[in-house]
Amino acid sequence: MNKITYFASETWASLRKNLILAVAAIAVVAVSLGILALVVMGWNMFSNMIKSAERKVGEIDVYLSDLTMEEERQAIEAYLVSIPEVDPLQVTYKDKETALQEFKERFKDQPELWEYLTENPLPNSYELSTKDPKDVGVVVGEISNNAPYRERIEDIKSASGAIEKLENIFDKFRQIGIIGVIALAIISILLVSVTIQVAIFARRREIGIMKLVGATNWFIRWPFLLEGVFEGLLGSIVAILVSWAVKVWILDKLIDNLQFLRLSLSSSLLWVLFPCMIVGGIIIGALGSAYALGRFLEV
Amino acid sequence: MIRMRRVTKVYKGNVYALEDVTVDIERGEFAFLVGPSGSGKSTFIKLLIKEEEPTGGQIYIADTNINQLRKWKVPYLRRKIGCVFQDFKLLPHKTVYQNVAYAMEVTGKSHRIAEQQVPEVLKLVGLGHKLESFPDELSGGEQQRVAIARAFINRPPILLADEPTGNVDPSLADGVVRLLEKINDSGTTVIMATHDKQIVNTFRKRVIAMENGRIIRDQDRGVYGYE
Ligand SMILES: Nc1ncnc2c1ncn2[C@@H]1O[C@H](COP(=O)(O)OP(=O)(O)O)[C@@H](O)[C@H]1O
Ligand SMILES: [Mg+2]
């Protein structure tokens, strides 16, 4: 208890002395963790949007005519399963009743779309996935050229190019985001380490005296380590507050106003993201002070 | 208590600060280390607290070869050796009490023990009434007494003093050395480096005289003896 109050008061006194630098370090930690939060939230919203899209990248729907006979259907199924690029475990038959059920479920908020139907306009279909999403074009071509009972296949649909492009763009966004976060994290570590170096320099006389009277290395290091960790922690708290504000005032509004995009943010995400940010802040602070201590505190 | 065997210290630039120094200092002794400035007195003391490493030779303290001492054990060595310097090395923003208590805190002792012992030791050095003063409110002699109290607070078996009277008014210097004598009487081995001829000649202790890094004379109840 004694020691804890000692370390805490030393840390606080030192922080106050180089306030400007400490604030700068805290701000940069906050910016890097805040950008991390934005990337993660943006990525989550986007992947939720993709998930709710009709067809995902790599999926193909094959619609059958209502005239298809049972043995024709079986022949077509056998053929689909045998295409090498197709994942044979991901070929599923969906009959028209199921399709209508799913349609009603999906548009249950807009009953005017299905209430007045007298007969089921939806076809029987196969849903299949390619082993590798980039083979979609090949498989679509293969089916339209070589399928048995070709005249029974009314339509072949795959994820639109738009979704594919979006996914590529978001992959880039994620990559740039991750690189940016790493770069900013390194800058924050360096900045925290500068504040600790200044703190060490300001107290070099005291450190010399501590060594003289027999302080152990860790006794000397602890307040500095704590100072860095405290800066990291404070930065992460700022980042959490800011990302929470961004979520409440921007993202939630976006989700409400752009309903047609089917945006959503998984609510459990923040319960994982925020603790991770705190841990991240603490690690940045600890690494920053460890770096400064390793280089500038000869003990 | 302290044994040096053929100890040599060469600083960068081929400066021989100590050359082939062999000496024994027994438990409870009081020794003056004398010699002109640059003769190697401070280096002698720095080697004992491992602030510098010897270039050659062996140093034993209480039968431990400190050359082989692991780095993490150095703080524990220093707790057994109190140190006093010409420039006092007090922390200006701490009070007299805090400066002394600091040396206890650093070794992990509780506030309660410090509250008991610090005023006691400050009374011993004659500063029982100045607990709350800051160093710059004290004379050089008083500051040096605070430093001595700090060096003695953990009851080290050895006390090293490097020119402790150097920044003390000559009329008060005797008092500082008498204090060291008092500490020596309690059983602590004291080594005091000095080039204050008058003090050495007054106190008549063992004198280890150095010149150019070598011991040129070692005599009990000796005198300063340089021109
Ligand atoms: N850190 C150092 N680097 C280089 N030379 C040093 C260093 N410290 C002391 N010296 C040299 O070593 C010699 C002995 O110095 P020192 O031990 O301080 O003597 P004293 O305390 O008797 O004045 C001197 O010539 C001094 O210039
Ligand atoms: Mg000297």
Side-chain angles (χ1 to χ4, degrees):
Chain A
M1 197 53 223
N2 221 337
K3 268 194 179 175
I4 292 172
T5 48
Y6 164 77
F7 288 136
S9 66
E10 293 292 304
T11 302
W12 175 241
S14 180
L15 264 179
R16 252 188 8 203
K17 257 184 232 149
N18 55 84
L19 196 63
I20 295 173
L21 262 174
V23 167
I26 291 165
V28 175
V29 171
V31 167
S32 52
L33 289 171
I35 288 181
L36 173 74
L38 283 184
V39 170
V40 170
M41 290 194 292
W43 178 251
N44 178 263
M45 283 171 70
F46 176 73
S47 53
N48 285 347
M49 181 176 93
I50 293 279
K51 261 184 223 147
S52 71
E54 243 172 310
R55 272 171 296 272
K56 288 157 206 121
V57 175
E59 282 184 7
I60 300 168
D61 290 352
V62 177
Y63 298 104
L64 302 181
S65 148
D66 285 351
L67 302 173
T68 315
M69 311 290 284
E70 179 58 18
E71 69 268 19
E72 291 169 344
R73 188 181 72 76
Q74 281 170 12
I76 290 172
E77 175 165 334
Y79 163 74
L80 292 175
V81 171
S82 73
I83 300 173
E85 289 86 0
V86 169
D87 181 350
L89 299 175
Q90 304 248 32
V91 177
T92 50
Y93 179 63
K94 193 198 283 175
D95 63 29
K96 45 196 296 162
E97 281 71 38
T98 313
L100 183 62
Q101 222 45 56
E102 282 181 6
F103 184 83
K104 286 178 177 172
E105 178 58 30
R106 199 164 146 196
F107 292 100
K108 59 177 184 287
D109 299 335
Q110 292 154 278
E112 66 277 8
L113 286 178
W114 44 267
E115 253 173 358
Y116 308 110
L117 291 177
T118 50
E119 59 175 280
N120 184 351
L122 298 173
N124 296 314
S125 66
Y126 275 99
E127 284 179 354
L128 44 106
S129 291
T130 54
K131 289 171 186 158
D132 185 338
K134 75 178 190 315
D135 289 334
V136 168
V138 179
V139 173
V140 171
E142 161 73 22
I143 295 172
S144 48
N145 292 328
N146 301 327
Y149 308 107
R150 178 67 185 81
E151 69 281 8
R152 298 297 187 221
I153 295 177
E154 287 189 326
D155 204 357
I156 307 169
K157 286 210 163 111
S158 57
S160 66
I163 285 193
E164 215 158 328
K165 266 193 206 122
L166 255 182
E167 205 156 51
N168 285 337
I169 291 170
F170 252 79
D171 256 338
K172 283 262 155 53
F173 163 80
R174 187 170 61 166
Q175 279 165 15
I176 293 172
I178 288 170
I179 292 170
V181 166
I182 291 172
L184 278 167
I186 291 171
I187 293 174
S188 343
I189 289 171
L190 291 178
L191 211 65
V192 169
S193 108
V194 168
T195 68
I196 303 305
Q197 284 163 37
V198 169
I200 291 173
F201 187 74
R203 296 181 57 192
R204 64 196 182 286
R205 192 181 154 78
E206 201 175 337
I207 291 170
I209 292 172
M210 286 170 95
K211 287 187 203 170
L212 197 73
V213 295
T216 57
N217 294 346
W218 274 110
F219 189 90
I220 296 172
R221 283 179 187 140
W222 261 115
F224 296 111
L225 198 65
L226 227 64
E227 187 173 341
V229 166
F230 187 70
E231 288 175 2
L233 184 69
L234 228 59
S236 71
I237 290 172
V238 170
I240 286 172
L241 293 177
V242 170
S243 357
W244 180 255
V246 166
K247 182 212 177 289
V248 170
W249 283 313
I250 300 179
L251 299 184
D252 285 353
K253 296 247 158 69
L254 221 59
I255 289 168
D256 275 355
N257 294 328
L258 304 175
Q259 273 186 350
F260 64 92
L261 276 178
R262 301 168 167 278
L263 293 168
S264 73
L265 192 57
S266 311
S267 52
S268 61
L269 179 74
L270 300 184
W271 295 113
V272 179
L273 177 62
F274 289 169
C276 283
M277 287 165 74
I278 291 201
V279 172
I282 289 174
I283 290 175
I284 287 175
L287 286 178
S289 25
Y291 180 68
L293 289 173
R295 277 196 59 189
F296 296 95
L297 195 61
E298 266 288 314
V299 279
Chain B
M1 189 95 245
I2 295 168
R3 280 190 289 153
M4 286 196 176
R5 289 289 173 273
R6 311 208 60 169
V7 172
T8 297
K9 173 67 189 180
V10 186
Y11 285 111
K12 279 199 299 279
N14 218 25
V15 182
Y16 277 72
L18 288 184
E19 224 177 323
D20 200 14
V21 168
T22 295
V23 68
D24 283 326
I25 295 166
E26 301 306 328
R27 187 183 305 270
E29 260 194 286
F30 190 124
F32 284 122
L33 192 59
V34 305
S37 157
S39 57
K41 305 182 296 293
S42 296
T43 302
F44 187 106
I45 283 173
K46 284 176 185 163
L47 289 177
L48 290 177
I49 55 173
K50 272 180 98 70
E51 203 181 311
E52 295 285 353
E53 298 294 328
T55 314
Q58 308 296 324
I59 303 172
Y60 301 86
I61 292 179
D63 291 326
T64 305
N65 185 335
I66 66 164
N67 293 18
Q68 286 155 11
L69 202 65
R70 295 286 179 84
K71 226 178 165 181
W72 66 269
K73 281 189 170 169
V74 170
Y76 301 95
L77 169 73
R78 289 183 185 156
R79 288 176 196 184
K80 296 210 170 352
I81 304 177
C83 276
V84 178
F85 296 91
Q86 182 169 7
D87 61 354
F88 320 130
K89 296 200 194 296
L90 299 175
L91 293 168
H93 60 277
K94 282 189 176 359
T95 64
V96 166
Y97 174 89
Q98 287 167 338
N99 263 287
V100 178
Y102 194 64
M104 296 190 88
E105 275 172 42
V106 150
T107 61
K109 295 221 177 71
S110 76
H111 280 305
R112 212 166 39 78
I113 298 182
E115 275 163 21
Q116 262 171 15
Q117 298 191 358
V118 172
E120 216 170 276
V121 171
L122 281 170
K123 208 187 285 168
L124 177 84
V125 301
L127 288 172
H129 56 296
K130 298 228 162 154
L131 262 53
E132 300 309 317
S133 304
F134 286 89
D136 62 3
E137 297 164 356
L138 303 178
S139 74
E142 286 170 325
Q143 289 188 55
Q144 195 57 291
R145 284 161 183 275
V146 177
I148 291 170
R150 183 182 64 194
F152 187 58
I153 188 74
N154 292 318
R155 317 284 156 161
I158 298 171
L159 194 138
L160 306 177
D162 190 357
E163 315 246 8
T165 57
N167 279 325
V168 175
D169 191 280
S171 62
L172 300 173
D174 275 14
V176 168
V177 182
R178 248 183 280 137
L179 195 53
L180 294 177
E181 211 176 18
K182 199 149 109 189
I183 285 172
N184 175 241
D185 286 342
S186 75
T188 300
T189 308
V190 176
I191 300 174
M192 172 171 159
T194 185
H195 61 244
D196 187 326
K197 178 177 181 179
Q198 190 258 320
I199 280 182
V200 175
N201 291 343
T202 309
F203 281 85
R204 301 303 296 256
K205 303 285 184 187
R206 175 178 176 186
V207 171
I208 301 167
M210 304 197 58
E211 206 172 277
N212 295 324
R214 290 177 178 274
I215 295 181
I216 52 161
R217 178 163 56 90
D218 185 348
Q219 104 192 105
D220 285 335
R221 299 183 56 75
V223 291
Y224 191 76
Y226 292 86
E227 290 319 304

